[in-house]
Amino acid sequence: MSRAVLQPSQQKLAEKLTILNDRGIGMLTRLYNIKKQGQVWKACGDPKAKPSYLIDKNLESAVKFIVRKFPAVETRNNNQQLAQLQKEKSEILKNLALYYFTFVDVMEFKDHVCELLNTIDVCQVFFDITVNFDLTKNYLDLIITYTTLMIMLSRIEERKAIIGLYNYSHEMTHGASDREYPRLGQMIVDYENPLKKMMEEFVPHSKSLSDALISLHMVYPRRNLSAEQWRNAQLLSLISAPSTMLNPAQSDTMPCEYLSLDAMEKWIIFGFILCHGILNTDATALNLWKLALQSSSCLSLYRDEVFHIHKAAEDLFVNIRGYNKRINDIRECKEAAISHAGATHRERRKFLRSALKELATVLSDQPGLLGPKALFVFMALSFARDEIIWLLRHADNIPKKVADDFMDKHIAELIFYMEELRAHVRKYGPVMQRYYVQYLSGFDAVVLNELVQNLSVCPEDESIIMSSFVNTMTSLNVKQVEDGEVFDFRGMRLDWFRLQAYTSVSKASLSLADHRELGKMMNTIIFHTKMVDSLVEMLVETSDLSIFCFYSRAFEKMFQQCLELPSQSRYSISFPLICTHFMSCTHELCPEERHHIGDRSLSLCNMFLDEMAKQARNLITDICTEQCTLSDQLLPKHSISPEEEYKIACLLMVFVAVSLPTLASNVMSQYSPAIEGHCNNIHCLAKAINQIAAALFTIHKGSIEDRLKEFLAVCISSLWDVLTFSVFVIGQIVQESPFLTMDLLESCFPYVLLRNAYHAVYKQSVTSSA
């Protein structure tokens, strides 16, 4: 390559990495959909629903011939076998075009990735996750996305039939093969065993890839400690050192502290498979590899597609001369993963339940700490997210003999605390913004300016960008937050990504390899900017559990386990809140993420979660046609007039009202502030009664509001002697109802009685606790 080609500013490495990573996730979604979803899933996965030309007996021999000869094209000498395709060729071209050109797009994506990886090697780019985080992360992400894409492609069983049928039909229609077919067909053959092929392909990239992976040698082991080590270090505790409670939580590697453990394990496992030679020569690389192999039995390829680590690695290494030690390592790590990983992760979840509870409690009492301790919040969310996703991934992929380690009836509690932390961040977002606006302008800008001034060599372009960073931060003030100004530092973060690319090339005048303090200061500043303009994005990044919708079977198992908790548990009562948490995750996804997941998948996710919420509370959550139909079916069907039916509906509501005293006399009906509900879950009555009333008097065209007022009057007259029950059940009925108001309740039930009842409940709870 010429010298001009090596100019970093002309290579646009940051832009290419960003675009290709985004496009790669889009391609993964398309391949996943071909394999699993909708009409495309049926076409490739359900024999009963395949297109006729894939199961038609008349075409069976033609399809087998095409697959057997793939990728060769022989139309002239096999007219008898292929003649039947003549009748179907137009339909085949029409129906298989989407699939065919998805495979073509994969091929083009592969070309662009290979070109970029070659450019990076020629430019001798320096990678270190602790210095140029964005550049290193995006580089490793691209390699894993590319690897995953080729593995996913190899898992589509009908790929040869689809591509071959399309091309034969194209040949018969246009007299020539499709222009992309020769390369596409060869790619399909070459990547029959994708990892084996890619191990050969990555030989020239081994130096860059191994350097990037080895830079994890401090980050990954620190994120992969045992619960006992976390406990001894009092991780995430705000009260362990009261004298430093107001000090800002800092780290030299801020973004690494909440980096996905799942992502790092994929980098390490797949990365060292692709540059496996370094495992024989570098002890740090080998230690990273073995630690990852001991931590998991499988990785998530994409959504619910998993990759079984140990078998795949052993199958790849078994035919390589001199790799007996590596094969023994794999076998030992597999045994350790099966025997100990489940218990290790179980203890981590146990620790996190306690740590997140403490963190949420302290922040609830002192929300001002969300400023200096924001890093703790996002670390807590990311640690909990990683452990939940690890459990989900392994729940259906572990030997039966260790199944007990993967049955967690307390998972709802952990998710509940995650939701509490998320709620604090949403509620007190302006508090955090004010804190970090002052931090950026009053401290970060000063330190960065000093670092820039002390640089011995700083090219003009880099100097201009760094000065613009300082000016942007210096211009910030608290009044902007108070005035509700919308901040947007995306441009600044993208410029820093570009600058990392410019200054991480071997011939750069200003090299981040020689100015690590500058790099570490900017990874800190970038975190601070996200606290000002991207809190929602950070919540999604560190606690996005919408992936549960793609693990529905495992999630349903865990859901049922949670419902089996003792009724006095706060977390069984609060499970609908957890479903709300998942729904909020999907709503917080940015447009690009929603596009990748797909509107249909998101709709299915929300439907699934809504159904889980209904099941948890054993009630119908919306007034709908189905509810009215059900109520209509339950009413007695005799030859009586509509007026009589209406009276029966009214009497049913009266019956419910007068039966409440019996329920109220049950000791389990006592309200417990500790669990924010009643021990026998009667707080569900409020919504249920409102739904029943709405359905009954929708069917019979009565006044829902008037009938509920009557119901309220009967309830109150029946419950004078059971104040505790009245306060919460009657109050909840009014709060849940769109037809009743608190003014109406107060007219029947004076406020002084409400106040006294609340006071009595409080005293009762204190006495019970004592």
Side-chain angles (χ1 to χ4, degrees), residues 287-345:
N287 289 335
L288 278 173
W289 161 256
K290 290 169 71 173
L291 182 57
L293 287 176
Q294 292 166 3
S295 301
S296 298
S297 297
C298 60
L299 295 174
S300 171
L301 275 181
Y302 190 64
R303 300 181 183 172
D304 60 345
E305 286 286 316
V306 297
F307 176 84
H308 293 276
I309 300 169
H310 304 95
K311 183 179 187 308
E314 185 174 343
D315 289 347
L316 288 166
F317 287 177
V318 73
N319 294 319
I320 303 178
R321 182 177 296 177
Y323 269 54
N324 289 337
K325 287 186 178 180
R326 299 292 76 83
I327 293 171
N328 288 334
D329 289 340
I330 293 168
R331 290 172 179 169
E332 290 173 5
C333 291
K334 178 181 180 180
E335 187 59 35
I338 292 174
S339 303
H340 306 301
T344 298
H345 285 271

Side-chain angles (χ1 to χ4, degrees), residues 531-584:
M531 295 300 98
V532 177
D533 74 331
S534 299
L535 282 175
V536 171
E537 177 188 321
M538 286 289 290
L539 286 176
V540 172
E541 183 180 340
T542 56
S543 60
D544 177 19
L545 300 178
S546 61
I547 193 171
F548 276 11
C549 68
F550 307 115
Y551 290 94
S552 58
R553 204 173 90 182
F555 179 48
E556 283 187 88
K557 280 185 181 178
M558 291 185 185
F559 179 84
Q560 291 298 334
Q561 292 169 20
C562 293
L563 292 183
E564 292 166 6
L565 288 169
S567 61
Q568 62 267 31
S569 168
R570 174 184 187 184
Y571 311 104
S572 59
I573 291 172
S574 304
F575 204 87
L577 177 62
I578 297 165
C579 293
T580 302
H581 166 88
F582 295 139
M583 292 186 203
S584 69

Side-chain angles (χ1 to χ4, degrees), residues 689-690 704-713 730 732-745:
I689 289 170
N690 276 292
I704 302 173
E705 182 176 355
D706 289 344
R707 299 294 76 78
L708 279 174
K709 287 179 181 177
E710 293 172 357
F711 173 83
L712 188 60
I730 302 300
Q732 286 175 338
I733 291 172
V734 174
Q735 289 173 10
E736 291 280 358
S737 175
F739 311 103
L740 301 174
T741 65
M742 292 304 291
D743 290 340
L744 176 64
L745 175 60

Side-chain angles (χ1 to χ4, degrees), residues 101-119:
F101 287 105
T102 293
F103 296 137
V104 171
D105 288 343
V106 170
M107 181 177 67
E108 292 180 350
F109 175 80
K110 173 186 176 300
D111 293 342
H112 291 304
V113 170
C114 292
E115 181 182 357
L116 179 58
L117 294 179
N118 287 332
T119 300

Side-chain angles (χ1 to χ4, degrees), residues 300-443:
S300 171
L301 275 181
Y302 190 64
R303 300 181 183 172
D304 60 345
E305 286 286 316
V306 297
F307 176 84
H308 293 276
I309 300 169
H310 304 95
K311 183 179 187 308
E314 185 174 343
D315 289 347
L316 288 166
F317 287 177
V318 73
N319 294 319
I320 303 178
R321 182 177 296 177
Y323 269 54
N324 289 337
K325 287 186 178 180
R326 299 292 76 83
I327 293 171
N328 288 334
D329 289 340
I330 293 168
R331 290 172 179 169
E332 290 173 5
C333 291
K334 178 181 180 180
E335 187 59 35
I338 292 174
S339 303
H340 306 301
T344 298
H345 285 271
R346 182 191 63 219
E347 290 303 308
R348 283 189 196 168
R349 294 193 301 275
K350 181 178 178 181
F351 167 82
L352 288 171
R353 286 199 304 273
S354 174
L356 266 67
K357 179 181 180 180
E358 177 189 298
L359 191 59
T361 302
V362 174
L363 292 176
S364 177
D365 185 61
Q366 298 293 332
L369 290 175
L370 279 166
K373 302 302 183 184
L375 180 60
F376 277 22
V377 173
F378 291 106
M379 286 172 63
L381 289 173
S382 63
F383 288 11
R385 169 208 61 197
D386 288 342
E387 292 306 316
I388 293 167
I389 290 178
W390 185 94
L391 180 61
L392 270 178
R393 190 169 72 241
H394 286 78
D396 283 339
N397 294 281
I398 44 90
K400 292 182 180 179
K401 64 179 180 179
V402 292
D404 288 348
D405 287 335
F406 299 85
M407 301 289 286
D408 192 342
K409 293 186 178 182
H410 301 288
I411 199 73
E413 180 180 355
L414 181 55
I415 301 172
F416 179 85
Y417 290 134
M418 291 180 72
E419 181 57 26
E420 283 198 322
L421 288 177
R422 285 163 56 90
H424 289 329
V425 173
R426 291 193 200 96
K427 183 176 181 180
Y428 298 106
V431 173
M432 301 174 73
Q433 284 185 312
R434 282 194 291 271
Y435 181 87
Y436 283 102
V437 159
Q438 294 177 80
Y439 208 127
L440 284 163
S441 60
F443 181 81

Side-chain angles (χ1 to χ4, degrees), residues 86-240:
Q86 285 286 355
K87 300 176 183 178
E88 300 276 1
K89 61 183 179 184
S90 298
E91 198 67 19
I92 290 173
L93 285 175
K94 175 184 174 182
N95 291 321
L96 293 186
L98 176 64
Y99 311 150
Y100 180 84
F101 287 105
T102 293
F103 296 137
V104 171
D105 288 343
V106 170
M107 181 177 67
E108 292 180 350
F109 175 80
K110 173 186 176 300
D111 293 342
H112 291 304
V113 170
C114 292
E115 181 182 357
L116 179 58
L117 294 179
N118 287 332
T119 300
I120 286 172
D121 291 337
V122 171
C123 291
Q124 299 178 40
V125 178
F126 155 76
F127 291 111
D128 188 328
I129 196 75
T130 65
V131 178
N132 50 10
F133 175 85
D134 300 288
L135 185 65
T136 304
K137 178 183 184 298
N138 277 271
Y139 170 73
L140 291 171
D141 279 346
L142 182 63
I143 289 174
I144 300 311
T145 300
Y146 171 42
T147 304
T148 304
L149 192 67
M150 302 315 290
I151 294 174
M152 188 72 76
L153 176 66
S154 71
R155 292 187 176 188
I156 299 177
E157 295 180 3
E158 307 288 351
R159 62 193 181 283
K160 290 183 179 179
I162 290 171
I163 294 170
L165 275 169
Y166 181 89
N167 185 63
Y168 270 93
S169 299
H170 190 284
E171 175 95 18
M172 292 175 176
T173 303
H174 302 287
S177 292
D178 179 77
R179 64 178 183 176
E180 305 290 355
Y181 179 77
R183 289 183 62 235
L184 178 59
Q186 191 58 49
M187 182 188 77
I188 296 297
V189 172
D190 289 344
Y191 288 83
E192 287 281 353
N193 187 336
L195 284 175
K196 183 178 180 182
K197 173 64 177 176
M198 294 181 74
M199 285 164 64
E200 302 169 3
E201 182 183 315
F202 265 75
V203 170
H205 311 313
S206 291
K207 177 66 169 61
S208 297
L209 178 54
S210 59
D211 285 350
L213 293 171
I214 290 172
S215 75
L216 295 166
H217 75 282
M218 291 294 290
V219 177
Y220 177 66
R222 191 170 69 228
R223 282 284 280 105
N224 204 18
L225 298 175
S226 68
E228 188 61 28
Q229 289 170 306
W230 282 352
R231 196 170 287 110
N232 292 338
Q234 295 185 304
L235 183 74
L236 303 177
S237 176
L238 297 181
I239 60 177
S240 60

Side-chain angles (χ1 to χ4, degrees), residues 65-66 78 105 138 167 224 253 271 278-279 338 348 357 371 377 476 481 499 521 613 616 631 671 690 721 732:
F65 173 80
I66 290 171
N78 297 278
D105 288 343
N138 277 271
N167 185 63
N224 204 18
T253 55
I278 195 71
L279 296 174
I338 292 174
R348 283 189 196 168
K357 179 181 180 180
V377 173
L476 296 172
V481 180
L499 196 60
M521 184 63 204
S631 300
Y671 180 82
N690 276 292
D721 296 329
Q732 286 175 338

